[in-house]
Amino acid sequence: DAKTTQPPSMDCAEGRAANLPCNHSTISGNEYVYWYRQIHSQGPQYIIHGLKNNETNEMASLIITEDRKSSTLILPHATLRDTAVYYCIVRVAGSGTYKYIFGTGTRLKVLA
Amino acid sequence: GAVVSQHPSRVICKSGTSVKIECRSLDFQATTMFWYRQFPKQSLMLMATSNEGSKATYEQGVEKDKFLINHASLTLSTLTVTSAHPEDSSFYICSALHREGTDTQYFGPGTRLTVL
């Protein structure tokens, strides 16, 4: 089972900040939180990841709460091209490696 | 950097035939690759973990004899759907594990398989 929960859908006005929440209450102390997005009929695109400090790159910012049980992905100025399904992932131990178990994600619709 | 390609992007085949899908890491070496399947309006489902030079590890419920995985080099993994049937029609996506830093997976663009 996925180790994260996200709201199924959100709307955001174009040009405004999109704030996508994720709960990961069972995350262990050394596990990263990864964010990806999937635009229709494409493979998931890596956005950002973090451990406990807030992170920012050219695509987004990631805010992780102090207890690390939740995080928020922020798209500072959403555009129509940001309409996608956003996945928050915490890795799960597999056979000799870690693997991703995808949850249902949040379907973000950016409105003109 | 960290680009993953898949070939073909789209394939249509007749029921009973086999189809091979290639996954390549273009600018990094990947000892581990993953194969996912995605049905319409659903999330990605992990099928198997592919390790270079060893047998793949399949998730529960995935038939290893039907979905053959070969990871013969550090930049190439292949998924062969054997004796395909219409219910195998799906979007197949691979990812490659980039071990620099924090083991991030980078995904290919996906392959749309339609079995007639």
Side-chain angles (χ1 to χ4, degrees):
Chain A
D1 289 341
K3 295 172 67 175
T4 61
T5 55
Q6 300 175 252
S9 64
M10 292 181 65
D11 290 343
C12 176
E14 188 178 21
R16 305 289 276 234
N19 297 287
L20 293 96
C22 178
N23 286 321
H24 32 79
S25 58
T26 61
I27 192 170
S28 62
N30 60 350
E31 271 301 334
Y32 285 77
V33 179
Y34 296 83
W35 282 83
Y36 290 80
R37 71 181 182 185
Q38 186 179 27
I39 296 169
H40 183 62
S41 295
Q42 298 181 26
Q45 177 190 22
Y46 166 77
I47 301 173
I48 199 168
H49 69 275
L51 181 62
K52 52 186 176 182
N53 297 321
N54 297 339
E55 301 288 344
T56 296
N57 62 20
E58 64 278 5
M59 290 183 67
S61 294
L62 176 60
I63 309 298
I64 302 174
T65 58
E66 194 168 340
D67 63 8
R68 304 209 328 116
K69 292 185 178 181
S70 65
S71 60
T72 301
L73 180 75
I74 301 172
L75 307 177
H77 305 286
T79 70
L80 298 179
R81 287 179 294 180
D82 292 323
T83 292
V85 178
Y86 287 76
Y87 294 101
C88 165
I89 297 168
V90 174
R91 298 180 309 182
V92 174
S95 175
T97 187
Y98 287 95
K99 56 187 182 182
Y100 291 172
I101 303 298
F102 280 77
T104 53
T106 295
R107 187 172 297 274
L108 175 69
K109 184 183 290 186
V110 180
L111 306 172
Chain B
V3 179
V4 177
S5 70
Q6 278 184 246
H7 178 80
S9 59
R10 186 180 297 267
V11 58
I12 300 173
C13 69
K14 292 182 178 180
S15 186
T17 61
S18 294
V19 174
K20 180 186 284 189
I21 302 169
E22 293 185 349
C23 177
R24 293 182 186 274
S25 56
L26 298 185
D27 52 2
F28 66 101
Q29 293 184 332
T31 55
T32 302
M33 292 182 173
F34 302 86
W35 287 96
Y36 298 81
R37 181 168 54 182
Q38 185 175 33
F39 293 108
K41 299 190 186 302
Q42 294 186 21
S43 187
L44 282 76
M45 185 192 79
L46 179 64
M47 299 175 67
T49 302
S50 167
N51 292 298
E52 188 264 338
S54 64
K55 290 183 178 180
T57 302
Y58 291 81
E59 295 298 302
Q60 192 172 9
V62 177
E63 300 175 59
K64 62 180 181 181
D65 294 330
K66 179 164 186 63
F67 299 100
L68 300 179
I69 291 172
N70 183 275
H71 192 157
S73 79
L74 290 173
T75 58
L76 173 64
S77 176
T78 60
L79 169 70
T80 301
V81 183
T82 62
S83 187
H85 292 291
E87 57 265 31
D88 299 322
S89 297
S90 188
F91 192 50
Y92 291 86
I93 308 169
C94 72
S95 71
L97 187 63
H98 195 301
R99 285 211 177 271
E100 279 191 26
T102 54
D103 287 0
T104 300
Q105 289 187 34
Y106 290 90
F107 288 81
T111 297
R112 175 78 55 194
L113 170 64
T114 302
V115 184
L116 302 177

